[in-house]
Amino acid sequence: MKLNYRIAILSFIFIGLYLYASYTYIQEIYNEQLHERYTKTSNIIRGKLQTLINEKKEAILLLSIALSESDTIKHLLVTKQYQKLNLDSFSDKLKHHSSLHNVWFQIINPNGQSVYRSWSSKDGDNILSIRNEIKKIINKPRIISLISVGRYDITFKAIVPIYHQKKFLGLIETIAKFNSIGRKLQTENIDNLLIVDKRYKNQLKFANKEHFFNGYYISNKNPNKIFLHQVVKELPLFIHIRNFIIKEEKLFTTYTLFDIDQQPMAYFVLAKPLSQIDISDIKNQKITLISIAIIIFIGIALFIYYIYFINYKKFVKKQTLILQKNVAHKTKELQKQSEILKYQAEHDPLTNLPNRLLFLDRLKQALKYAKRKNGKVSVLFFDLDRFKEINDTYGHEVGDKLLQEVTKRLTENRRSEDTVARLGGDEFTLLLLNQDQDGIIHVVTSIMKKMEKPFYINNLELYTTFSIGISSYPEDGTTHDELLRNADTAMYEAKMNGKNNYHFYNSKMTEIAIARTKLEKELRKALENKEFIPYFQPKIDAKHNKIVGLEALVRWQHPTKGIVFPDKFIPFAEEIGLITAIDNYMMKASMKQVLLWQQEGIECGKLSINLSAKQLNSKSYLNELKTALNETKFDPKYLEIEITETHIMRNPSRALTILEKIKSLGISIAIDDFGTGYSSLSYLKKLPITKLKIDRSFVIDIPEEDDDVAIVRTIISLAKNLRLGIIAEGVEKKEQVEFLVQEGCNDIQGYYFSKPLDTQNCKEFLKNYQ
Ligand code: C2E
Ligand code: CA
Ligand code: CA
């Protein structure tokens, strides 16, 4: 575009220069030609005048010569009969039949006497004294033709000697005015004035005084008044025109008559209207030149436009190309981007597997096809066992890497038509087409086999397994929703059956699933209706036979089923996240109850409440605990938290921080079900715990079972070494109590002393121990 802009400016400059130059040039040529034409015209005018003068001069001379040859005149002169000389009628004839209107004759005898004058009756006077030239001619007779200024006017004169038989008889002089010349010029539209130089003023004694202007004498008899005024106004200018001048639309030129001494004697000022001068050819030529210039201009303009246009076209072409390239590039980018977006929308970023969206899409397509072709479609639902534990224990980075490794094993050797997808979390699906039950079992077992090998991630050796649920079209469902839901249900069943397992869907599972949904609804309603109530199981110091504490255990007072035990709903409540609400409720309810008893002066010992792993991970737990303490004004030194070993070991570092905060509130912490969770001793040392609770499984068979005896002894000595309190749960028999007390574990909890009791019974029980 910049280039075109420059071209445009250059074009304008060029056009300007061109117009200026061509105008000046044409005008110059025109002026030159006009000047030439005017010069020529003025030359012609002067030439014409010259011719007229010459003609008249010659005519006068001829007249004189003719008359000098006249025998009559000669005879009269010889006989000196001067009075008989008469040329008047001759003058008249000339006047009437020629252009010579004012012609006069004079005859002079050899003595210099004027013997005849055609214009006057005066004769006989001697003119030698006043006319020098006559004297010269008489002395040496010859023919003379001249223009001279006389006493009357400026005139033509021709003087011819008359001879008779070689005897000089005298001179015949013919005189004529210029008037006829003036008239002739006038007929040709040439204004004219014959102006006699002022040097002759004195000589023109008898001239008309009115014809003098500034000493100059105008010879014309009836001059054009306007013209006369125009000329007289600037006489010196007009009489000195060398070539021509243009004034008031007229061409002026001057013809100078010189006297014998070559001094200017008179001036013919001639003027011709410019309109009378034909300059049409010059004008035409000018028009032609202008036309040529315009044609050239148009040519150049077209050329420039063409160049500009070509340039512009090139420019536009270039820009279009650039634009096209850009558009193509952008389109490609957009395509790429939309492909990426589509890919991202349909794939899981961690494993690059198709996500739920794409899986469902493929499943729908497969179903459509299968319905037409009577095919079979199977959905395999995979859920990693213990993945949450691994994630909590080793962190998300390890969890993510594990998922990637699992993906590798899951996709290995898969047929291209089978889709492996990640639905989210640790859930995977596999879409199998046209596989019978044996084929499916083959696929499933081969995957389970692959999963047996350990995963090596961040120098850790990890093991994980799949719980797998299978549903197939047409027998287990006809829609994608149904198939996926049923595969999920089957997977749940597999999990319930002990994990690392697969299960084909059957309709019974749906009933279970329905039951689960029902249970969830009921639990939520129970919470709303305050159907949960705390039971209390006393803890007894068996050695000193006194109450050391109460463990709060939740019971669900079902409106139709009566008392429901926690194993029927706690794991499910944990699974669906309802445990937090239940625990918070239990925490407050049990605290309030114990506080009441304390206020009644009943010795209760410490109140133990159970804490689920969910609570341990919940950010709000600590606040809930504090609010409960504040609201009930329960003294934290009477409060003990029970948390299972496995719960702590799922995420020990997190457990450590939260337990420390709990302890800092003045609350005791006991490890529940101790001995089942493979706690590392180093961790145990670090944890801010106060008590170990020996799990019921080790208590059942003591003192008979040696292994259990050994384990219980070890746990008791471990507690002592770590300076922790010790308690045994699930104690039902006297021998168990005796053994435990003997080994140094005085605190006992179990049916031997009491089952968990409702408020009323517990109060009774406590009262008996006061
Ligand atoms: P746990 O914390 O180990 O509680 C002890 C369980 O053993 C109680 O069962 C109790 O009734 C039972 N038990 C006590 N002594 C004996 C005995 O001598 N013989 C036998 N066979 N059992 C005995 P329960 O009340 O059914 O509670 C089961 C589990 O439910 C509890 O195990 C605890 O983990 C959980 N739980 C109970 N209440 C709550 C609660 O409020 N919150 C949470 N998060 N969990 C609770
Ligand atoms: Ca407990
Ligand atoms: Ca326990």
Side-chain angles (χ1 to χ4, degrees):
M1 215 59 213
K2 214 175 182 179
L3 182 71
N4 289 323
Y5 179 64
R6 238 184 273 157
I7 285 179
I9 287 189
L10 282 174
S11 307
F12 274 118
I13 293 172
F14 178 79
I15 288 166
L17 283 174
Y18 172 79
L19 288 176
Y20 176 75
S22 44
Y23 174 78
T24 330
Y25 176 68
I26 292 169
Q27 200 58 34
E28 209 168 284
I29 288 180
Y30 178 73
N31 287 341
E32 223 168 71
Q33 287 187 343
L34 210 58
H35 190 269
E36 218 170 84
R37 175 63 44 90
Y38 289 155
T39 309
K40 200 173 155 194
T41 309
S42 64
N43 286 341
I44 289 169
I45 293 168
R46 285 202 306 270
K48 202 168 269 173
L49 175 63
Q50 174 87 57
T51 313
L52 286 173
I53 290 171
N54 286 347
E55 274 173 10
K56 187 143 189 174
K57 223 173 165 182
E58 208 162 68
I60 304 300
L61 185 61
L62 284 175
L63 276 178
S64 293
I65 291 169
L67 289 173
S68 74
E69 293 296 324
S70 163
D71 287 340
T72 317
I73 293 171
K74 281 181 186 177
H75 173 75
L76 290 173
L77 286 177
V78 170
T79 56
K80 295 194 178 167
Q81 298 176 58
Y82 298 131
Q83 57 279 8
K84 281 192 180 169
L85 285 166
N86 187 1
L87 290 169
D88 288 5
S89 63
F90 184 57
S91 265
D92 265 2
K93 270 179 198 157
L94 285 174
K95 192 174 187 170
H96 289 115
H97 302 291
S98 80
S99 62
L100 297 168
H101 285 206
N102 298 304
V103 180
W104 299 278
F105 305 100
Q106 173 166 232
I107 296 171
I108 303 154
N109 67 15
N111 300 325
Q113 279 179 307
S114 174
V115 290
Y116 174 75
R117 282 186 178 101
S118 70
W119 66 88
S120 145
S121 53
K122 187 184 172 188
D123 56 46
D125 57 320
N126 197 314
I127 55 167
L128 290 179
S129 56
I130 51 162
R131 292 190 59 184
N132 220 1
E133 80 273 20
I134 299 293
K135 200 176 176 178
K136 282 179 188 165
I137 295 167
I138 287 173
N139 286 340
K140 193 184 172 192
R142 60 202 143 102
I143 296 171
I144 275 181
S145 167
L146 72 140
I147 296 166
S148 68
V149 179
R151 280 184 288 182
Y152 296 90
D153 208 340
I154 180 166
T155 50
F156 290 94
K157 284 189 179 127
I159 305 165
V160 177
I162 306 167
Y163 286 95
H164 181 65
Q165 292 164 355
K166 299 209 174 145
K167 187 180 178 239
F168 177 58
L169 296 180
L171 301 168
I172 174 129
E173 182 184 31
T174 308
I175 299 155
K177 280 202 169 189
F178 277 82
N179 291 8
S180 66
I181 289 174
R183 266 199 314 278
K184 272 186 187 155
L185 286 173
Q186 201 62 62
T187 56
E188 294 196 31
N189 277 321
I190 297 169
D191 285 326
N192 58 86
L193 280 184
L194 177 58
I195 304 161
V196 180
D197 196 85
K198 56 184 171 189
R199 284 190 294 115
Y200 288 90
K201 191 186 170 190
N202 291 333
Q203 193 165 320
L204 289 159
K205 268 185 195 149
F206 303 120
N208 190 342
K209 293 285 175 266
E210 286 171 10
H211 279 225
F212 281 94
F213 297 92
N214 290 336
Y216 290 89
Y217 170 74
I218 307 296
S219 167
N220 303 51
K221 200 176 175 187
N222 292 310
N224 178 331
K225 287 256 165 59
I226 302 165
F227 185 60
L228 175 71
H229 277 293
Q230 188 183 358
V231 174
V232 162
K233 244 189 332 194
E234 294 174 278
L235 254 177
L237 170 74
F238 287 108
I239 61 176
H240 288 123
I241 295 171
R242 300 189 74 204
N243 189 356
F244 68 89
I245 59 167
I246 306 288
K247 249 184 181 287
E248 293 175 23
E249 289 301 299
K250 276 180 194 160
L251 171 91
F252 287 85
T253 187
T254 308
Y255 182 92
T256 310
L257 297 168
F258 296 95
D259 62 12
I260 299 170
D261 307 319
Q262 290 306 313
Q263 291 298 314
M265 177 170 63
Y267 316 92
F268 256 106
V269 174
L270 305 157
K272 186 165 178 155
L274 291 183
S275 57
Q276 300 279 322
I277 302 167
D278 183 13
I279 54 163
S280 57
D281 57 333
I282 298 174
K283 274 187 177 161
N284 284 343
Q285 198 184 350
K286 187 181 179 181
I287 288 166
T288 313
L289 281 176
I290 288 172
S291 306
I292 289 169
I294 287 171
I295 286 166
I296 291 172
F297 171 74
I298 290 170
I300 290 169
L302 281 175
F303 181 69
I304 289 171
Y305 175 74
Y306 180 67
I307 287 198
Y308 177 82
F309 187 69
I310 283 193
N311 236 304
Y312 183 72
K313 250 174 131 177
K314 267 191 203 161
F315 176 77
V316 167
K317 218 172 163 183
K318 207 171 134 195
Q319 292 299 318
T320 312
L321 266 172
I322 291 171
L323 214 70
Q324 273 172 352
K325 254 191 203 164
N326 275 348
V327 167
H329 182 72
K330 281 273 175 320
T331 313
K332 238 189 205 166
E333 253 178 25
L334 276 175
Q335 269 170 356
K336 241 194 228 163
Q337 226 144 27
S338 72
E339 271 165 28
I340 289 171
L341 279 176
K342 188 172 154 47
Y343 185 86
Q344 283 176 347
E346 293 180 335
H347 288 80
D348 162 48
L350 180 69
T351 59
N352 274 333
L353 285 177
N355 61 13
R356 176 184 287 270
L357 198 77
L358 185 55
F359 177 77
L360 287 178
D361 193 53
R362 299 232 176 124
L363 178 55
K364 281 181 215 167
Q365 295 301 323
L367 282 172
K368 243 190 220 168
Y369 190 78
K371 278 172 191 170
R372 266 190 279 134
K373 304 265 169 180
N374 285 330
K376 182 167 166 143
V377 177
S378 303
V379 175
L380 278 64
F381 201 110
F382 295 78
D383 189 285
L384 275 181
D385 301 322
R386 284 174 21 90
F387 178 70
K388 199 169 161 34
E389 249 173 81
I390 292 168
N391 222 6
D392 288 347
T393 311
Y394 303 108
H396 286 288
E397 196 201 331
V398 172
D400 285 354
K401 281 185 181 164
L402 179 66
L403 287 173
Q404 286 169 337
E405 292 304 312
V406 165
T407 302
K408 274 185 201 161
R409 294 191 194 178
L410 203 54
T411 49
E412 233 169 35
N413 303 330
R414 285 269 60 77
R415 297 189 309 181
S416 61
E417 69 263 35
D418 301 338
T419 301
V420 178
R422 183 181 172 214
L423 293 198
D426 56 352
E427 293 175 346
F428 296 86
T429 46
L430 171 57
L431 180 66
L432 287 183
L433 303 180
N434 301 320
Q435 290 271 18
D436 59 11
Q437 183 147 341
D438 289 347
I440 295 169
I441 290 172
H442 177 74
V443 169
V444 166
T445 46
S446 86
I447 289 172
M448 283 168 72
K449 193 148 188 68
K450 276 181 198 159
M451 295 293 284
E452 277 170 14
K453 283 180 275 168
F455 292 90
Y456 295 101
I457 290 156
N458 289 7
N459 295 326
L460 289 167
E461 192 186 274
L462 299 172
Y463 289 90
T464 185
T465 50
F466 270 132
S467 294
I468 306 162
I470 303 147
S471 74
S472 295
Y473 169 84
E475 55 270 31
D476 302 328
T478 51
T479 67
H480 60 277
D481 269 343
E482 225 178 328
L483 283 174
L484 194 64
R485 197 173 54 236
N486 290 344
D488 186 12
T489 310
M491 183 279 292
Y492 187 77
E493 191 64 28
K495 208 151 252 199
M496 290 294 118
N497 288 353
K499 303 174 180 171
N500 193 21
N501 215 331
Y502 67 90
H503 215 289
F504 282 91
Y505 172 81
N506 59 51
S507 54
K508 219 175 145 192
M509 290 174 193
T510 306
E511 286 164 26
I512 296 167
I514 290 167
R516 277 163 59 83
T517 326
K518 198 176 152 208
L519 180 61
E520 185 176 342
K521 265 191 208 154
E522 282 186 330
L523 278 177
R524 291 190 191 279
K525 228 166 104 191
L527 236 131
E528 255 175 55
N529 298 345
K530 300 204 162 96
E531 286 168 15
F532 296 111
I533 49 164
Y535 267 47
F536 297 95
Q537 188 175 32
K539 298 174 180 180
I540 309 291
D541 177 348
K543 196 174 176 184
H544 305 99
N545 202 31
K546 66 170 198 180
I547 290 279
V548 287
L550 298 170
E551 179 177 4
L553 293 158
V554 67
R555 296 293 180 264
W556 180 9
Q557 208 156 30
H558 197 277
T560 53
K561 290 179 198 156
I563 297 291
V564 180
F565 285 85
D567 56 319
K568 290 277 181 289
F569 61 91
I570 289 282
F572 185 67
E574 270 181 343
E575 205 180 303
I576 63 171
L578 218 60
I579 190 69
T580 333
I582 296 173
D583 274 1
N584 285 336
Y585 175 75
M586 273 294 290
M587 190 158 69
K588 282 180 198 166
S590 56
M591 276 187 206
K592 273 183 196 161
Q593 185 54 60
V594 172
L595 203 66
L596 273 176
W597 288 330
Q598 284 174 348
Q599 282 162 0
E600 282 178 46
I602 300 168
E603 180 70 52
C604 303
K606 279 190 180 175
L607 167 66
S608 302
I609 51 175
N610 289 286
L611 183 65
S612 93
K614 273 263 156 56
Q615 294 282 63
L616 208 58
N617 289 325
S618 141
K619 283 184 184 131
S620 60
Y621 176 68
L622 212 67
N623 281 335
E624 301 275 3
L625 186 60
K626 282 182 198 165
T627 349
L629 287 171
N630 279 342
E631 275 180 18
T632 54
K633 302 270 181 315
F634 193 87
D635 189 346
K637 79 174 177 196
Y638 291 115
L639 190 62
E640 185 177 67
I641 300 288
E642 284 187 18
I643 174 127
T644 64
E645 204 184 343
T646 34
H647 283 171
I648 293 173
M649 292 324 287
R650 275 180 193 169
N651 193 348
S653 59
R654 165 123 189 108
L656 186 67
T657 35
I658 193 136
L659 291 179
E660 236 142 31
K661 281 177 185 161
I662 292 171
K663 199 187 175 188
S664 73
L665 294 173
I667 299 167
S668 313
I669 298 161
I671 294 195
D672 206 353
D673 301 350
F674 190 77
T676 57
Y678 315 102
S679 308
S680 100
L681 277 178
S682 61
Y683 248 106
L684 207 58
K685 237 173 80 182
K686 275 190 222 163
L687 288 171
I689 48 171
T690 46
K691 196 186 275 179
L692 299 180
K693 193 174 194 178
I694 305 168
D695 188 62
R696 194 169 72 91
S697 58
F698 304 118
V699 175
I700 288 174
D701 296 324
I702 53 169
E704 297 89 30
E705 194 68 56
D706 289 349
D707 285 354
D708 289 343
V709 166
I711 289 170
V712 170
R713 276 193 182 130
T714 312
I715 294 173
I716 293 169
S717 67
L718 182 68
K720 274 185 184 153
N721 288 335
L722 292 173
R723 291 192 190 83
L724 300 171
I726 183 95
I727 186 169
E729 68 174 351
V731 180
E732 295 180 2
K733 296 175 197 150
K734 198 178 174 200
E735 303 89 73
Q736 291 168 341
V737 179
E738 279 167 356
F739 173 80
L740 288 162
V741 171
Q742 189 192 315
E743 292 300 322
C745 175
N746 299 337
D747 294 353
I748 305 290
Q749 180 186 358
Y751 293 172
Y752 176 76
F753 288 107
S754 171
K755 284 193 171 183
L757 304 166
D758 63 20
T759 324
Q760 196 58 46
N761 289 323
C762 189
K763 194 177 174 181
E764 293 300 317
F765 184 90
L766 289 171
K767 273 184 180 164
N768 288 336
Y769 265 85
Q770 297 303 311

